[in-house]
Amino acid sequence: MNKAKGQKGQTPIGEIGKFGLISRITRNASVNNKTTVSGVGDDASVIDSGGLLTLVSTDLLLEGIHFNLVYTPLKHLGYKAVIRAISDIYAMNGTPEQILVAIGISSRFSVENIDELYRGIYLACCKYKVDLAGGDTSSSLTGLTISVTAAGSVESDLICRRNGAQPNDLICVTGNFGASFMGLRILERERKLFEKDKSFEPSLTGYEYVIGKQLKPEFPSEIIDDLRKAGILPSAMIDVSDGLASDLMHICKLSNTGCRIFSNRIPVHDETRKASEEFLTDPLLPALNGGEDYELLFTVALENSEKLKAVPAVKIIGHLTASDQGYILAGDDGSAVELKAQGWEKTK
């Protein structure tokens, strides 16, 4: 019988981390079908079945790892599960069209509980014009598991991947960063206080924005259309789910570039700053490393800088450099430090 732990000479998964594990288990993946344009490495797999390219991605949520039902409403969880999946399709400059939802359910969940979960799923499908096209259900011994597979399409000349960026390209983002992580910290703080004293009433007033970003995020899908209308095709793009620094470094590594971003240009919401101060944390830390922001991070050729003015929701936070110049975070005082990618897996 194989043992999951305790064997001599075995490497703990935590030693290589999430991305090290992904790299390891996909290193021997090969393409056996001519319809497979690309597999691992991007936000979604690309399949050429004639005409438009088909994009397929999958996302897994495990109770106790990705969500805590003590403070996560099932309706919000269903909504968020869809957002997580379709964000990968948008990040390839595509349009999500269908999802498949598979769930594992333990005996403590009622029919009404699952109804509530699917209310959230259907709400997200309605808002983002996505069809629930199938799925699977199974019993579970470990709580609730949700797996969402998203499919969509993109024209072959409009697809955006992570490896197309060039030195001097502008680094652009939507929205703001760190809110979801600080919302999680507040929820976890209140949960722990409640567990110590069941008469304790959680105080969440004044943190509606950051908590909303954690429990029921939205995705800036309109930016995809806005960029096309402005005549801008990003050279590389990714959705920010693992942390701004981590996801930017994904683009840099796959595109063989360095980067230079400026701390005073990284957008941070006032509530995120307030929550960070309450936890005695520099707001820049969750902004760079918090994860689950579900914003777009993309690069644009320098000659498109004027066109970007037609998309005011997009902010420029820096530019790409030659690979030998490293990953740099520049401060207001002229300082320059190496950009670190702690990422979602370490900060949550």
Side-chain angles (χ1 to χ4, degrees), residues 5 22 25 36 38 48 54 70 139 171 179 208 227 236 272 281:
K5 58 182 179 179
I22 291 173
I25 63 180
T36 304
S38 66
D48 186 357
T54 298
V70 170
S139 59
I171 301 170
E208 291 82 2
L227 290 172
T272 304
T281 300

Side-chain angles (χ1 to χ4, degrees), residues 236-300:
M237 188 153 60
I238 191 172
D239 71 313
V240 182
S241 56
D242 293 307
L244 177 60
S246 180
D247 288 322
L248 174 57
M249 289 171 67
H250 286 334
I251 287 179
C252 291
K253 288 174 181 177
L254 289 170
S255 298
N256 193 31
T257 70
C259 66
R260 188 180 187 89
I261 60 174
F262 300 89
S263 59
N264 61 357
R265 295 188 187 179
I266 297 172
V268 179
H269 194 275
D270 288 343
E271 262 189 35
T272 304
R273 295 185 185 280
K274 177 184 172 184
S276 298
E277 291 170 3
E278 195 169 316
F279 283 89
L280 304 177
T281 300
D282 182 344
L284 201 59
L285 291 176
L288 288 172
N289 303 305
E292 287 206 313
D293 294 299
Y294 300 109
E295 297 291 348
L296 278 171
L297 164 65
F298 58 95
T299 56
V300 170

Side-chain angles (χ1 to χ4, degrees), residues 61-64 67 69 103-109 114 138-146:
L61 294 95
L62 303 172
E63 184 177 355
F67 60 90
L69 291 177
I103 57 174
I105 317 162
S106 71
S107 58
R108 65 187 174 89
F109 292 93
I114 304 307
S138 174
S139 59
S140 168
L141 297 176
T142 57
L144 180 63
T145 298
I146 308 171

Side-chain angles (χ1 to χ4, degrees), residues 148-210:
V148 183
T149 298
S153 63
V154 63
E155 295 178 31
S156 59
D157 58 346
L158 294 179
I159 192 168
C160 290
R161 300 160 86 165
R162 299 177 180 178
N163 62 356
Q166 299 289 331
N168 298 320
D169 282 0
L170 301 174
I171 301 170
C172 305
V173 297
T174 63
N176 57 78
F177 297 88
S180 177
F181 178 73
M182 293 314 302
L184 178 64
R185 290 202 69 180
I186 290 168
L187 289 167
E188 279 292 313
R189 179 190 66 187
E190 300 301 298
R191 177 188 65 82
K192 290 174 182 177
L193 290 172
F194 178 75
E195 287 181 349
K196 289 181 180 179
D197 179 5
K198 299 301 182 183
S199 65
F200 172 78
E201 293 188 10
S203 177
L204 304 178
T205 303
Y207 294 108
E208 291 82 2
Y209 179 80
V210 294

Side-chain angles (χ1 to χ4, degrees), residues 100 121 211 256:
L100 305 176
I121 290 173
I211 290 172
N256 193 31

Side-chain angles (χ1 to χ4, degrees), residues 61 63 67 69 72-83 99 101-106 109-125 132 136-138 143-148 215-216:
L61 294 95
E63 184 177 355
F67 60 90
L69 291 177
T72 306
L74 284 166
K75 185 176 178 180
H76 287 7
L77 178 61
Y79 195 96
K80 183 176 181 177
V82 176
I83 296 299
I99 60 168
V101 179
I103 57 174
I105 317 162
S106 71
F109 292 93
S110 67
V111 171
E112 289 76 15
N113 291 152
I114 304 307
D115 284 344
E116 192 68 6
L117 177 71
Y118 273 80
R119 283 191 188 97
I121 290 173
Y122 283 120
L123 275 175
C125 286
L132 176 60
D136 193 18
T137 59
S138 174
L144 180 63
T145 298
I146 308 171
S147 176
V148 183
L215 296 180
K216 187 177 175 289

